[in-house]
Amino acid sequence: MSPGRLLERLAALIPILLGVSLIVFLMITLTPGDPVQIMLGDSRSSPEQEAALRHDMGLDRPPWERFFVFLWNAAQGEFGLSFFHRRPVLDVILERLPATIELTLVSLVLALAIAIPLGVFAAVHKNSWIDRAATVGSLLGVSLPGFWFGILLILLFSVTLGWLPVSGRIGYSSEVPGVTGLLLVDALIAGRPSSFLDALRHLVLPALTLALPMASVLTRVTRSSMLEVLRSDYVLFAEAKGLTRARVIGRHALKNALIPTVTVAALETGSLLGGNMIVETVFGWPGLGRLVVEAIFSRNFPLVQAAVLLYAVTYVVLNFAADLLYTVLNPRVRL
Amino acid sequence: MTAHRRRPLGFLAVLALASIPAGGLSAAELRVGFSQDAQTLDPANHRNRENETILRNMCDGLLTRDPAMKVVPEIADSFRQVDPLTWEFKIRDGLKFHSGTPLTSADVAFTFNRIVKDKAMSGQTSPRKSLLGPVEDVEAVDTRTVRFKMSAPWPILPAMLPFQEVVSKAFVEKQGDAALATKVDCVGPFKLVEWRRGDAVIMERDPGYYGGSPAIPPVGPAKVDRAIFKIIPENASRVAALLAGEVDIINELPASAIRQVEASERAKVMAVNGTRTFFMAINLAKKPFDDVRVRKALNHAVDRRLIIDKILEGRATPLNGVMSPDAFAFNKDLPEYRYDPDAAKKLLAEAGVANLELTIDTTGAFKPTAEAIAALMARAGIKANVQVWEGAVLSPMWNAADKRKDRDLYLTSWGNGALDPSDIMVPTLRSGGRGNAAGYANAKVDQLLDAAETEVDQVKRETMYKEAQAQVNADVPWVFLWLPQDLYGVSKRLKGWQPSADSRINLHDASVD
């Protein structure tokens, strides 16, 4: 891809971000609910106190002014103070982001590790019992509510068997010096295998809960696209040349068959990077999803605005990454 | 296939075995499975009860409450009212902050002036200012004496002081207000080790702690080496963590999990009367609810005891008014509106109301309760529908007269951590109060509440509040409901800990076998 094309793609981000900011701002402004009242809760308060808080939160300004202040600050990388944490929004988001990234990446790897072999196997052995089992299994995987499945895993592996922890990212006696914020990576960098295993133990259940529905979707996508590729002329030609079945599938068919898988995986990853509120809540995972949903319920406007902008950027960048991957998988695709 | 099946379980087993020492509980570590993370560690910059519960284990206040909820000195040695507008506090000698700096009256004055003075926190006004009512200034008279000056007499100052914690003046001046959001330098049984945002607040015993209030024995350093608030927002997961032995105390135990916890070998249930009064506000401005007979009929139509038994597992006290039986000036002589559908029908007929249809507004958490109430009302010939809303939408709608004008009933609650009528009756029942969802306005009640607010004689104050409660009971602006217990799940290895009616989880005296 030429640098000019890259710049063009990046420039296309600006109207998207502006549009997203405006829509989020309008939704926030039009939704009933007052952060000042939520903060004061049940306790006694005076009108002066309410006015002072409203002023501190910048809510005494007209909406259009608040929007332009937000845009002006955002352009400089400033997103204001979180109403309830009373610290810069960006700090609050960034300290929760690594947990979500780590969970997402491990879930993605797990999902791909399940889905690609299973999807390919099911396609190659179409109508075999494994194919049917994979189809039924993926239907189940998509249908199982994460909340229920997560609790079930906790009851089995934590309460009954006592093998894995219920919640958190790492035990309290493990300390890992923060480098990337991803505990598995940081534990390896620090050369602490026990902390690595400890972090991994905490990751197993939430990652499995997230990976299963993702793997189900990806298995179905991989299977159907593999079936289509296997029917194509070039595969027939490769087989006619006398190549082994394994070579035809592994070298020729798989690459093309993976294009839809990559697209779906990128979209799923995009939504997971936004944090999965349900899984993060069930497993007490200190990620972004829980933070943002709490922020929505408490009308923590600056945090919601900044987080949604971050989501928009993540989505666009991941789609772009998927586009780039297409060119690797299929040289006929040009950006 | 067998091999395929075995692999993941084998992998999990290796993981489990590999790190038992890292995940295991050390004998002197106490963990609380807690429903909410702290928002900030600055005691003056929040209005959140859970935040305060966490902070209170690291930061003592001038005053605190003993297990019977009596206000007792903590950092203060003694206190007295000098005149109607002045209170004096003597500070305990030899107290040291976690950093080793000695605590003096200057720190106490700094702490409170930071709250009551406008823009005193780097240009921002403390959101806790209104919790200190008319306090205008706090002055350090000498190293051990501070005086609180007020613009009007305020007898509930002692009841409101346990809500505030003392910070170090030197620390804030050196590190700045912003540093207090994530760091702690207080006088308290535990000092902060690490705050893993969204995950845990890890604390360790401060060996130099003076021991806490002598009114709450045992006095001395905390019993455990480390105390951890582990944040687990989901109820079912919190219960699972208790049953798995990962935590020793969990808060907000759902009533539906009581049997599960009691059936386990590891844990048990502990309960204490809470401070949250449940009621249904009746929209007094709307016909036919402006007729007191209709409001009485609504009260007769709800079988509170049945709902307490069946939905709340018996863990609540029925109320005939607003105050908790544990609170100051609780009027125990209020007449009860007994469950009596026939009496309800009769009252509705007297009021000329036939085929009454109404809507109960509530939030998702109380939908089953609202539906049970609606079903009971049907027996009195009232057709009640339930409408579920998001809390952030419902509360501002009901607390503004123009927005609630078409609504009927609102199933809600109001907390009273101070256990004093001033903290709950003024906001919910004084005309124009910020939580007066019913739109109740009675000149006599207003006058009683206003007079009691500044009455220094506690006996007179008590009489005024009791009279106000009787008037409210007669006017029935609400369907009076109940005061639920706060439920905790605790491990059987936990010693020296009792749930507290102000929802605090004080770990100073707690230990684990």
Side-chain angles (χ1 to χ4, degrees), chain A residues 133-151:
Chain A
T135 310
V136 173
S138 42
L139 190 69
L140 257 177
V142 177
S143 322
L144 287 182
F147 173 80
W148 178 81
F149 185 59
I151 297 279

Side-chain angles (χ1 to χ4, degrees), chain A residues 33 37 39-44 49 56 86 95 165-167 172-174 197 201 204 282 290 297 299, chain B residues 12 15 18-19 22 45 47 124 126 130 196-198 226 230 237 246 276 390 392 414-415 422 434 453:
Chain A
Q37 294 298 333
M39 181 171 206
L40 292 172
D42 290 351
S43 45
R44 41 185 304 138
Q49 172 94 70
D56 280 341
R86 318 294 270 177
E95 65 202 18
V166 175
S167 75
Y172 299 116
S173 35
S174 293
L197 278 173
R201 287 176 78 231
V204 172
V282 168
R290 220 173 85 198
F297 280 122
R299 303 290 187 265
Chain B
L12 292 176
L15 275 181
S19 54
N45 211 355
R47 281 289 283 256
Q124 185 209 326
S126 167
S130 51
R196 297 182 182 172
R197 257 61 107 211
R226 300 222 301 175
K230 187 175 163 75
S237 310
E246 278 183 34
R276 186 159 281 279
E390 191 200 337
W414 198 272
S422 161
R434 57 181 288 265
E453 191 77 0

Side-chain angles (χ1 to χ4, degrees), chain A residues 162-232:
Chain A
W163 287 1
L164 295 168
V166 175
S167 75
R169 277 185 87 189
I170 195 164
Y172 299 116
S173 35
S174 293
E175 273 184 41
V176 184
V179 181
T180 60
L182 310 180
L183 294 182
L184 291 181
V185 178
D186 289 351
L188 286 179
I189 293 174
R192 293 186 187 166
S194 66
S195 299
F196 179 84
L197 278 173
D198 191 13
L200 198 57
R201 287 176 78 231
H202 284 80
L203 259 167
V204 172
L205 296 185
L208 201 62
T209 312
L210 278 185
L212 208 71
M214 188 160 39
S216 306
V217 175
L218 293 176
T219 305
R220 293 166 76 165
V221 171
T222 309
R223 178 184 174 275
S224 60
S225 98
M226 192 68 185
L227 277 176
E228 209 178 306
V229 170
L230 286 179
R231 278 197 295 267
S232 63

Side-chain angles (χ1 to χ4, degrees), chain A residues 108 112 213-214 216-222 258-271 315 319 322 326:
Chain A
L108 177 70
L112 289 173
M214 188 160 39
S216 306
V217 175
L218 293 176
T219 305
R220 293 166 76 165
V221 171
T222 309
L258 281 184
I259 291 182
T261 311
V262 166
T263 314
V264 176
L267 288 175
E268 293 265 329
T269 308
S271 65
Y315 247 93
N319 273 306
Y326 294 163

Side-chain angles (χ1 to χ4, degrees), chain A residues 31-34 36-46 49-50 52-53 55-56 81 84-87 95-96 129 147 151 154-155 157-159 161-175 194 197-198 200-202 204-205 280-286 290 294 296-299, chain B residues 1 9 11-13 15-16 18-19 21-23 29 31 37 39-40 45-47 119 123-131 154 156 160 181-182 194-200 202 226 228 230-234 236-237 240-241 243-244 246 260 276 390 392-393 396 413-415 422-423 426-427 434 453:
Chain A
T31 309
D34 178 4
V36 172
Q37 294 298 333
I38 292 170
M39 181 171 206
L40 292 172
D42 290 351
S43 45
R44 41 185 304 138
S45 181
S46 60
Q49 172 94 70
E50 288 177 31
L53 268 174
H55 178 72
D56 280 341
L81 287 182
F84 298 90
H85 304 90
R86 318 294 270 177
R87 284 185 295 128
E95 65 202 18
R96 299 288 280 264
W129 69 269
F147 173 80
I151 297 279
I154 287 177
L155 287 178
F157 289 108
S158 308
V159 179
L161 296 172
W163 287 1
L164 295 168
V166 175
S167 75
R169 277 185 87 189
I170 195 164
Y172 299 116
S173 35
S174 293
E175 273 184 41
S194 66
L197 278 173
D198 191 13
L200 198 57
R201 287 176 78 231
H202 284 80
V204 172
L205 296 185
E280 288 182 357
T281 303
V282 168
F283 292 98
W285 192 260
R290 220 173 85 198
E294 281 164 11
I296 292 170
F297 280 122
S298 60
R299 303 290 187 265
Chain B
M1 190 56 210
L9 283 181
F11 169 69
L12 292 176
L15 275 181
S19 54
E29 184 169 290
R31 296 176 184 176
D37 193 15
Q39 296 173 339
T40 169
N45 211 355
H46 70 93
R47 281 289 283 256
K119 302 186 186 299
Q124 185 209 326
T125 304
S126 167
R128 298 181 83 74
K129 180 178 157 79
S130 51
L131 294 176
W154 202 49
I156 69 159
M160 297 302 283
T182 54
E194 188 187 359
W195 179 19
R196 297 182 182 172
R197 257 61 107 211
D199 183 9
I202 305 170
R226 300 222 301 175
I228 296 171
K230 187 175 163 75
I231 314 307
I232 314 176
E234 166 54 35
S237 310
L243 298 182
E246 278 183 34
Q260 189 189 2
R276 186 159 281 279
E390 191 200 337
V393 175
S413 66
W414 198 272
S422 161
D423 190 37
V426 174
R434 57 181 288 265
E453 191 77 0

Side-chain angles (χ1 to χ4, degrees), chain B residues 32-41 43 46-59 128 162-163 165 189-190 201 203 227-229 231 249 251-252 486 488 497 500-508:
Chain B
V32 180
F34 201 54
S35 53
Q36 247 190 57
D37 193 15
Q39 296 173 339
T40 169
L41 300 183
H46 70 93
R47 281 289 283 256
N48 181 274
R49 203 191 262 209
E50 284 78 9
N51 210 83
E52 201 182 317
T53 293
I54 294 175
L55 269 177
R56 257 292 173 167
N57 284 288
M58 295 181 278
C59 299
R128 298 181 83 74
F163 294 124
E165 297 87 34
F190 295 96
V201 181
M203 306 177 277
I228 296 171
F229 277 84
I231 314 307
I249 301 173
N251 73 329
E252 291 185 21
D486 287 344
Y488 297 85
W497 185 82
S500 169
D502 55 7
S503 306
R504 279 205 202 136
I505 300 178
N506 295 327
L507 302 175
H508 172 224

Side-chain angles (χ1 to χ4, degrees), chain B residues 286-494:
Chain B
K286 189 180 172 188
K287 281 190 186 309
F289 307 116
D290 55 342
D291 187 326
V292 71
R293 290 168 296 188
V294 175
R295 304 200 294 270
K296 284 183 177 168
L298 292 176
N299 272 274
H300 283 301
V302 179
D303 189 348
R304 296 170 298 166
R305 285 169 207 277
L306 184 73
I307 294 176
I308 290 172
D309 277 352
K310 299 293 176 199
I311 297 184
L312 305 175
E313 302 277 340
R315 304 286 185 161
T317 309
L319 296 179
N320 302 316
V322 51
M323 298 309 301
S324 151
D326 297 333
F328 171 73
F330 167 68
N331 188 339
K332 63 177 174 24
D333 302 319
L334 297 178
E336 180 188 352
Y337 294 97
R338 272 185 317 104
Y339 175 60
D340 186 346
D342 293 329
K345 281 181 190 164
K346 208 171 139 208
L347 280 162
L348 288 174
E350 276 175 29
V353 176
N355 304 322
L356 178 59
E357 186 170 347
L358 53 84
T359 301
I360 302 170
D361 293 329
T362 193
T363 51
F366 302 112
K367 186 170 171 248
T369 310
E371 282 172 344
I373 291 174
L376 285 165
M377 283 184 163
R379 295 187 193 169
I382 302 165
K383 185 173 182 332
N385 308 301
V386 174
Q387 190 164 347
V388 174
W389 301 73
E390 191 200 337
V393 175
L394 199 49
S395 155
M397 179 174 84
W398 263 89
N399 291 333
D402 55 329
K403 290 184 185 153
R404 70 166 172 257
K405 62 180 190 299
D406 299 322
R407 312 307 308 166
D408 302 323
L409 299 186
Y410 174 24
L411 171 57
T412 184
S413 66
W414 198 272
N416 180 21
L419 288 168
D420 189 286
S422 161
D423 190 37
I424 184 168
M425 292 190 78
V426 174
T428 61
L429 292 161
R430 200 200 175 286
S431 53
R434 57 181 288 265
N436 188 343
Y440 179 62
N442 179 312
K444 183 182 161 198
V445 171
D446 285 358
Q447 184 254 320
L448 283 167
L449 292 179
D450 289 349
E453 191 77 0
T454 53
E455 176 55 62
V456 184
D457 183 333
Q458 292 293 349
V459 179
K460 282 189 192 158
R461 251 188 104 222
E462 187 173 351
T463 314
M464 289 172 185
Y465 281 131
K466 284 186 170 171
E467 203 180 325
Q469 287 169 67
Q471 187 62 48
V472 170
N473 175 277
D475 290 343
V476 271
W478 300 347
V479 176
F480 301 113
L481 296 176
W482 48 73
L483 182 93
Q485 291 180 343
D486 287 344
L487 298 175
Y488 297 85
V490 297
S491 73
K492 288 181 178 163
R493 65 185 205 127
L494 181 73

